[in-house]
Amino acid sequence: MTDRLSARETLALVTDDSTFTELPYPVRESGPDGPLAWQGYDASRARAADRTGESESVVCGTATVGGTRAVLIAFEFGFLGGSLGERTGDRLESAYTYAREHRLPVVPLIATGGSRMQEGMIALTQLQRVARQSALTREAGLPQIAVLRDPTTGGGWATLGAGADVILALPGAQVGFAGSRVRPPDADPAAYTAEAQVAAGAADAIVEPEKLRETLGSWLRLLTTPWEGRAPVPVPLGVNDLPGTGWEAVQRARSPQRPRAECYLDAYFTHRLAISGDRCGGTDAGLLCGFGERAGRAVAFAAQAGTATRPAGYRTAARLIRLADRLGVPVLTLVDTPGAANDAAAEREGAGAAIADLFGAVASARVPVTTLLIGEGGSGGALALAAPGNTWATPDSYFSVIAPELATAILKRAPAETERTADQLRVRPEDLAGLGVIRTGPG
């Protein structure tokens, strides 16, 4: 468990000095002890107000974070466990509406145990209100960046938290749908932590409190300042001369000395932040996704790192492309994989559906997608990340319908025929240009 800051202390931690202004909120009249006439509820609220200085479990307002103005929603856990009630829903709805009217991103700073029992089903239905407000804000093309504090459980996690575009978490925070008092007695407590959620692909990163303002500011800047037009094609970092044969092209692409995705991203961006996870229980370190800054503007990236891409990687890339599309940020993809992972685990994880989802995300993107083939282009597992009509290739790369060795085996040729098969497949960059698969000339 982390040290719990109050809502106001959390706002002071993340906002630029003297920029926070609390938003007005609706005043709801209700009968004694709330909608259920729960005996003692009014007294509990009064004690919570005296203890925290707040009149509800959320504080909503506007401020700048790293120079970018946003709507912030800070939960006060000391007020009835940060629980969501009808008046909480009123304030959340009002804050989201203000964000849409003024075209501002939304930053929920969550610390809640869930829905308020003293209001029964009225409290639980606030989750539907919150979900609708989040959906409307998403449709408006405005980013939502959640910060998971301790604890983030129940409906607050399942709406404001898990429903955000980017999910950051403080170290050691309890995070999970099940709160600490309702879990099975033999449940592993490590599964209900921020670290476990990041490992499972349900959250993007752990951020230390002292770095939270800087990290939030960077994310807000990246998600609100898109590059105008198509992302420029990266400059090739490896060899400059074209390969003489198809087999030479394959050997170059497989060389350990060839520049990989990290080198290209470092050269292309002055600053970048990663998203992680497919939100379905998986991550893939071999597919790097996120947003980067180039000449002061943002470009989204999805870059294969030379390994066989797993289903979680394809789903994460599809998530990245759809997010960039909603925010109007152009996308750069770097293709470099021997192919999709084809082991039994990959099939059980839905390899075909994940690849299909990525093909669909690229095909339906309204923002321009630019692709550079920087190494191996292994079949459909590589093509899924490539932009139709806007794919380029470096001199130390190749693209093939199938690996030359596998084509040789399928054709029942002797292994010595592999080099000839590579030539017949026409996998070199110049061959691909001649076939109209890739583009040449100025990028």
Side-chain angles (χ1 to χ4, degrees):
M1 182 183 297
T2 62
D3 292 333
R4 289 186 180 134
L5 298 180
S6 70
R8 304 280 174 174
E9 289 171 334
T10 302
L11 288 166
L13 179 70
V14 302
T15 60
D16 299 338
D17 293 343
S18 303
T19 62
F20 180 75
T21 302
E22 191 166 354
L23 289 171
Y25 51 84
V27 177
R28 177 185 292 270
E29 299 296 334
S30 62
D33 288 325
L36 303 186
W38 184 290
Q39 187 174 0
Y41 180 39
D42 283 349
S44 295
R45 286 175 50 87
R47 287 193 298 271
D50 288 342
R51 184 170 56 252
T52 64
E54 306 296 346
S55 58
E56 246 308 328
S57 59
V58 291
V59 178
C60 305
T62 63
T64 62
V65 181
T68 301
R69 190 164 178 253
V71 167
L72 294 102
I73 298 167
F75 278 74
E76 176 52 69
F77 188 77
F79 193 101
L80 301 180
S83 56
L84 281 78
E86 196 169 25
R87 293 177 181 176
T88 321
D90 290 342
R91 297 190 186 198
L92 293 173
E93 184 174 68
S94 180
Y96 271 97
T97 300
Y98 184 94
R100 291 193 300 275
E101 290 174 348
H102 295 82
R103 304 295 302 166
L104 296 176
V106 179
V107 180
L109 305 162
I110 309 167
T112 176
S115 299
R116 193 169 298 170
M117 292 181 297
Q118 295 94 330
E119 295 187 19
M121 280 301 298
I122 295 297
L124 192 64
T125 59
Q126 301 311 304
L127 303 181
Q128 295 171 321
R129 292 179 74 186
V130 173
R132 175 164 175 76
Q133 292 305 311
S134 178
L136 291 172
T137 304
R138 190 177 301 114
E139 290 174 4
L142 299 170
Q144 300 171 67
I145 306 172
V147 176
L148 313 181
R149 298 155 57 210
D150 184 53
T152 298
T153 59
W157 165 230
T159 52
L160 290 162
D165 300 315
V166 175
I167 304 172
L168 309 176
L170 295 178
Q174 296 179 67
V175 180
F177 187 64
S180 59
R181 298 184 182 181
V182 298
R183 299 167 191 161
D186 59 346
D188 178 8
Y192 302 87
T193 63
E195 288 77 6
Q197 297 294 347
V198 171
D204 292 295
I206 302 293
V207 182
E208 297 291 336
E210 61 270 19
K211 296 182 179 179
L212 189 55
R213 181 187 301 182
E214 178 186 357
T215 302
L216 261 181
S218 294
W219 269 116
L220 288 167
R221 185 171 64 253
L222 285 172
L223 299 186
T224 57
T225 56
W227 183 276
E228 295 184 6
R230 188 184 72 190
V233 182
V235 176
L237 301 177
V239 298
N240 294 317
D241 60 310
L242 292 170
T245 67
W247 187 241
E248 182 185 351
V250 173
Q251 289 179 308
R252 283 185 177 188
R254 294 176 178 173
S255 170
Q257 284 72 46
R258 174 181 55 79
R260 305 287 165 149
E262 289 275 9
C263 294
Y264 277 91
L265 295 175
D266 286 344
Y268 193 82
F269 295 115
T270 56
H271 174 69
R272 56 189 164 95
L273 290 170
I275 68 166
S276 176
D278 61 0
R279 300 299 187 258
C280 299
T283 61
D284 181 3
L287 215 165
L288 312 176
C289 294
F291 291 78
E293 190 171 67
R294 180 180 174 88
R297 312 297 287 184
V299 174
F301 64 86
Q304 290 169 317
T307 59
T309 304
R310 303 206 62 80
Y314 291 116
R315 284 191 286 263
T316 304
R319 177 168 80 91
L320 179 282
I321 290 170
R322 291 193 174 105
L323 173 57
D325 193 45
R326 282 196 284 106
L327 301 180
V329 180
V331 180
L332 170 69
T333 65
L334 301 179
V335 172
D336 183 12
T337 180
N342 58 7
D343 51 50
E347 293 299 334
R348 286 193 292 268
E349 293 161 8
I355 295 170
D357 190 41
L358 180 54
F359 268 118
V362 173
S364 59
R366 294 160 297 179
V367 294
V369 180
T370 300
T371 300
L372 180 64
L373 173 66
I374 64 170
E376 291 195 82
S379 194
L383 189 66
L385 206 61
N390 197 31
T391 293
W392 310 73
T394 65
D396 45 6
S397 66
Y398 80 92
F399 222 140
S400 181
V401 64
I402 191 171
E405 298 92 335
L406 297 179
T408 300
I410 290 171
L411 295 171
K412 298 182 179 180
R413 294 176 176 177
E417 294 289 298
T418 299
E419 293 186 23
R420 182 170 71 91
T421 303
D423 284 334
Q424 287 182 303
L425 288 169
R426 298 186 66 183
V427 301
R428 300 176 302 167
E430 57 266 49
D431 296 326
L432 299 169
L435 293 169
V437 175
I438 67 166
R439 296 181 61 179
T440 59

